[in-house]
Amino acid sequence: MAQGLSQVAPRYLTGDKAGLREFLDKFDVFLFDCDGVLWSGDHLFPGTVETLELLRNNGKQVVFVTNNSTKSRADYRKKLEGLGIPSTVEEIFSSSYSSSIYISRILQLPENKRKVYVIGETGIEQELRSEGVPFIGGTDPAYRRDVTPEDYKKIAAGDESMLDPEVGVVLVGLDFHFNYLKVALAYHYIKRGAIFLATNIDSTLPNSGTLFPGAGSMSAPLIMMLNQEPIALGKPSQAMMDSIEGKFKFDRSRACMVGDRANTDIRFGLEGKLGGTLGVLTGVASKEDFVSGDVRPHAYLDKLSDLLASEES
Amino acid sequence: MAQGLSQVAPRYLTGDKAGLREFLDKFDVFLFDCDGVLWSGDHLFPGTVETLELLRNNGKQVVFVTNNSTKSRADYRKKLEGLGIPSTVEEIFSSSYSSSIYISRILQLPENKRKVYVIGETGIEQELRSEGVPFIGGTDPAYRRDVTPEDYKKIAAGDESMLDPEVGVVLVGLDFHFNYLKVALAYHYIKRGAIFLATNIDSTLPNSGTLFPGAGSMSAPLIMMLNQEPIALGKPSQAMMDSIEGKFKFDRSRACMVGDRANTDIRFGLEGKLGGTLGVLTGVASKEDFVSGDVRPHAYLDKLSDLLASEES
């Protein structure tokens, strides 16, 4: 997948005022990965708010792109606000939202197969509801139980009390109440023809300075059982880029993806043929990764707020 | 992995009395896969009991080999008895037992790293207990709960109330109470140096005539998160064959594996360099699979009880 991606050495822009101005002038739209770029965990990086303000004051469109599927856009806006970052729901693009858009506007589901069986939390449910997509599963407590001997028989028989015949899509996101029954049902829906979607396939989720199971870990048993990969709607899947473009109607050559991970954020921008990609060293990737890795950004900074130097006198 | 396995056309022995006698005479030990060979689900195949009796009467050692990790050998013997098959605990080799043997007799664990963190059911616990291996997790209800914000912090900090410092092995088997917390703990134990073992890696489990998540589905999230495969102790892993040989001290050239699946049972016997492998058509594999597949048995039968014809007048 890394074939054909940027192999030129990235430009180091920290402290290079002229270079920063030139870089910023090339773009109208900045897509931001959030954790590791704007903040880390609950800690807002100094200068984040001022940098976003600088961009907006210069007429740039700012978009916050997150693979977090547990939150809706409204939830995520609250999170940004809690961290002190002004934003609007319209500036936020989460994998729960891109999944909902993909289901409601791109998939052409037959009339009697419009229901989505959800493995995931409330963020997905809110976004499906906002797009008018019917769903089952998700946070419904009826699915938070042990599997019973009766369940096996009913599932095997295709009993409609267990397997809703109108389900045409299985959407798998991060689910903290993941269990045997949920996986068994998802497997049988897909075997019966439902489309296998994942909000994103990040295997891990950063929390408290370490890693925990991510949304990809919820898809992993199904991938193994079915020997089939899901269509993923988060970064670096281009299905997410298509959704963002569909909404913002921007010129890709005038857009720049900003991120801290080479293999998701920077890849996402490069494969999406955006005019620019900008790496920052406040998250996962090291300078080494950006300079000599397989996936290299067009430019990189020590930290996002180094952009402020473009306007300092 | 299929390289070098039997590529000769298998001999079809149903109705071939002389061929059957010649085949049986070659072996002292018969290793049996169970479901699909002796029975299917709860249905005992006609002639199973008589066929086992014929083998025993002719002085053959019979061993029942099962990847089922939820049952101990004692549980499994009860299952055989319930189906009307006489057997002893000593004739049974389950993946829960081979895992326990592997941990207690083959792994050389440091004094302060002898504990096993178990994802699985009571069969594993019983076999670990019988080998004197200390363990945590498993069916302990304390692990059947949601993850809390406190858990993340404690796990990240390596708090001993969450992560027992004496755990040196993570053993993953089929667990009907699989959840987010259990996967998170297993991940952190392995990241801290614990050995990653799986009772078996069958992705699915047959039940009620269809498939449900198997033990491999419990390992799948960990494999994805860690980018590391477990050491598997069930068929077709040769770790299981080594355990069986260690216990029964048989001559491999005088042993025959009987099974219904080319890729697990027959592969298990071929890779273990047993003198013979015998396929039966009462389970997963078709005649086509055995005759022209990648992994071919030495001989095959329509059904196991066709062996009875070797003694008919």
Side-chain angles (χ1 to χ4, degrees), chain A residues 60-79:
Chain A
K60 314 292 187 190
Q61 165 83 53
V62 164
V63 183
F64 303 100
V65 182
T66 172
N67 275 3
N68 186 326
S69 70
T70 63
K71 291 186 165 58
S72 65
R73 289 170 298 156
D75 293 335
Y76 210 72
R77 199 196 68 78
K78 271 185 217 141
K79 183 187 165 93

Side-chain angles (χ1 to χ4, degrees), chain B residues 2 6 19-20 43 48 52 79 93 95 102-103 112 134 139 175 192-193 195 216 242 251-252 258 275 279 293-294:
Chain B
S6 180
L20 284 169
H43 169 67
T48 290
L52 293 170
K79 183 188 164 95
F93 227 90
S95 65
Y102 187 83
I103 293 166
N112 60 347
T139 61
D175 188 336
R192 287 164 171 268
I195 297 166
D242 294 343
D251 174 356
R252 290 196 187 205
V258 188
D294 285 341

Side-chain angles (χ1 to χ4, degrees), chain B residues 246-296:
Chain B
K247 176 162 173 138
F248 293 104
K249 318 271 182 222
F250 60 76
D251 174 356
R252 290 196 187 205
S253 71
R254 298 279 304 163
C256 178
M257 176 72 206
V258 188
D260 68 309
R261 293 183 189 230
N263 241 319
T264 50
D265 304 321
I266 303 305
R267 177 186 295 281
F268 180 60
L270 293 171
E271 291 186 343
K273 308 227 183 306
L274 298 193
T277 50
L278 179 64
V280 293
L281 298 176
T282 45
V284 169
S286 64
K287 184 176 166 173
E288 197 67 18
D289 294 332
F290 285 151
V291 172
S292 2
D294 285 341
V295 182
R296 302 175 195 168

Side-chain angles (χ1 to χ4, degrees), chain A residues 220-227, chain B residues 1 66-70 94-96 98-99 119 124 170-175 196-206 212-224 228-240 261 263-264 267-268 271:
Chain A
L222 294 166
I223 293 170
M224 191 192 252
M225 292 176 76
L226 296 156
N227 196 20
Chain B
M1 269 173 63
T66 172
N67 274 4
N68 186 327
S69 69
T70 62
S94 63
S95 65
S96 54
S98 71
S99 300
I119 292 184
I124 295 175
V170 168
L171 174 60
V172 183
L174 185 57
D175 188 336
F196 181 17
L197 303 183
T199 56
N200 61 305
I201 50 167
D202 302 84
S203 65
T204 57
L205 175 78
F212 288 87
S217 292
M218 319 283 118
S219 286
L222 293 166
I223 294 170
M224 191 192 252
Q228 180 191 334
E229 298 285 333
I231 299 170
L233 282 311
K235 293 174 289 179
S237 164
Q238 290 303 311
M240 193 181 214
R261 293 183 189 230
N263 241 319
T264 50
R267 177 186 295 281
F268 180 60
E271 291 186 343

Side-chain angles (χ1 to χ4, degrees), chain B residues 7 32 35 65 74 81 83-84 86 110 123 126 151 153 160 162 172 175 237 259 271 280 286 289 293:
Chain B
Q7 294 299 320
F32 283 97
D35 202 340
V65 183
E81 196 179 278
L83 283 159
Q126 289 178 54
D151 291 334
K153 286 179 202 144
E160 297 190 3
M162 293 296 290
V172 183
D175 188 336
S237 164
E271 291 186 343
V280 293
S286 64
D289 294 332

Side-chain angles (χ1 to χ4, degrees), chain B residues 96-115:
Chain B
S96 54
Y97 182 55
S98 71
S99 300
S100 301
I101 285 187
Y102 187 83
I103 293 166
S104 64
R105 307 188 193 177
I106 298 178
L107 287 183
Q108 304 288 329
L109 298 169
E111 197 64 58
N112 60 347
K113 289 285 180 191
R114 295 249 160 107
K115 246 182 228 177

Side-chain angles (χ1 to χ4, degrees), chain A residues 58 101 125 135 143 154 223:
Chain A
N58 281 284
I101 285 188
E125 295 178 328
F135 64 88
Y143 294 84
K154 284 185 181 171
I223 293 170

